Amino acid sequence: TERPAEDHTKNFTVTVVQSGGKWVEKWTSTSATQAEITERTSNKAAQVRAERDALLAATDYTQLADAPGDATAWASYRDALRNLPTRSGFPWTMTWPTKPE
């Protein structure tokens, strides 16, 4: 079987079996415990926040008085980044804000 898509609510195991003279992977899934789901969500949230923090740091210069570009657009983008943890779907399916040009 094909490798399943990531799902933080499931545990996946793979075994290698012989089928029709070929070795193939056989994937099975079981439901994750609430503790596993909570830990995975916490880890993913930390990962997303770290990525968000890096994006904020990379755009700090845009808030200087003499920075090139549209200061208002950059400020809005940075606000949207800061607000990511409050958005629906965080940390699994939220939509990242679009960076100004």
Side-chain angles (χ1 to χ4, degrees):
T1 58
E2 289 187 28
R3 182 183 181 127
E6 266 192 65
D7 182 345
H8 67 284
T9 66
K10 303 274 186 211
N11 292 323
F12 296 101
T13 55
V14 63
T15 54
V16 179
V17 295
Q18 196 168 30
S19 175
K22 295 180 180 180
W23 291 97
V24 295
E25 294 178 336
K26 181 180 178 186
W27 291 89
T28 56
S29 69
T30 56
S31 294
T33 66
Q34 187 57 52
E36 290 171 320
I37 294 168
T38 299
E39 180 180 2
R40 290 172 188 165
T41 300
S42 177
N43 291 340
K44 179 69 172 178
Q47 176 188 5
V48 171
R49 282 186 178 99
E51 187 174 348
R52 183 250 349 237
D53 292 348
L55 290 170
L56 281 167
T59 60
D60 281 347
Y61 76 94
T62 65
Q63 298 309 289
L64 298 172
D66 61 348
D70 182 348
T72 303
W74 282 106
S76 294
Y77 170 70
R78 290 168 53 82
D79 282 343
L81 286 173
R82 281 190 289 277
N83 292 331
L84 272 178
T86 64
R87 296 187 65 177
S88 176
F90 180 84
W92 298 105
T93 59
M94 82 283 161
T95 302
W96 286 89
T98 302
K99 185 177 177 180
E101 303 229 358

